[in-house]
Amino acid sequence: MQFDHINIVVADMDRALAFYSGLLGLRRSFETTLQGEWVETVTGLPEAHARCVFLEADAPGVRLELLQYFTPAGEALAPNRLPNTHGLRHLAFAVEDWAALEDLLARLKTAGVPIVSEPVLVPFQVGNLGRKKLFYFSDPDGTILEIAAYQQE
């Protein structure tokens, strides 16, 4: 088994694309409209109708699927913005090194993106990846995201 994609439901696709593609640099790879009996069946949502855009990083791997539901409309739940709420809580991206992490942090701050904390150094090696530096921030819909970088000592 392997990972295929991660899905994030967004309130405004254009705003989400400006963030994930424009600011974070992910590239659009596929776009379609989801509607009809098949999507109603798989989601359990009668009359489901959504815009779907897949994004990819330069390195091959897991794709990010953004969905904006037109019907039925969903809603943001405040507890989902907290890192200790049960269920999927954050999505982590890795950059090539600690300098790239700092550069991206500066770009996010300049763009007014809410940053949870300054980068922190994990006090132990993360498997064979080395020392990890990371920070959390939020996308326009409040989804918690992580930027991580590893360094061998």
Side-chain angles (χ1 to χ4, degrees):
M1 187 180 314
Q2 65 184 25
F3 288 106
D4 182 67
H5 69 273
I6 295 170
N7 167 264
I8 298 177
V9 175
V10 301
D12 181 317
M13 184 63 78
D14 292 331
R15 180 181 71 179
L17 288 170
F19 181 83
Y20 284 99
S21 189
L23 191 57
L24 295 185
L26 299 177
R27 64 181 158 67
R28 291 164 91 158
S29 63
F30 175 75
E31 182 169 348
T32 192
T33 299
L34 306 179
Q35 64 186 114
E37 184 178 341
W38 77 271
V39 74
E40 292 175 22
T41 299
V42 75
T43 63
L45 298 172
E47 299 182 30
H49 175 216
R51 180 178 175 193
C52 171
V53 179
F54 274 89
L55 302 170
E56 297 178 5
D58 290 335
V62 177
R63 297 170 297 150
L64 180 61
E65 175 191 40
L66 301 179
L67 284 182
Q68 179 184 356
Y69 279 89
F70 302 115
T71 58
E75 63 180 284
L77 301 175
N80 285 347
R81 296 175 185 228
L82 299 175
N84 62 341
T85 302
H86 295 187
L88 182 63
R89 277 310 95 206
H90 77 270
L91 174 60
F93 296 95
V95 294
E96 55 273 5
D97 56 34
W98 291 1
L101 180 141
E102 295 292 343
D103 289 345
L104 182 52
L105 175 63
R107 278 200 337 263
L108 293 171
K109 285 181 175 181
T110 298
V113 174
I115 306 297
V116 175
S117 76
E118 292 298 312
V120 261
L121 182 62
V122 175
F124 50 83
Q125 291 233 138
V126 178
N128 62 354
L129 297 174
R131 295 296 303 271
K132 179 179 182 180
K133 189 181 269 193
L134 68 111
F135 66 92
Y136 279 6
F137 61 107
S138 297
D139 80 355
D141 289 299
T143 301
I144 300 168
L145 303 174
E146 174 186 320
I147 297 296
Y150 298 89
Q151 180 173 299
Q152 294 294 329
E153 290 191 341

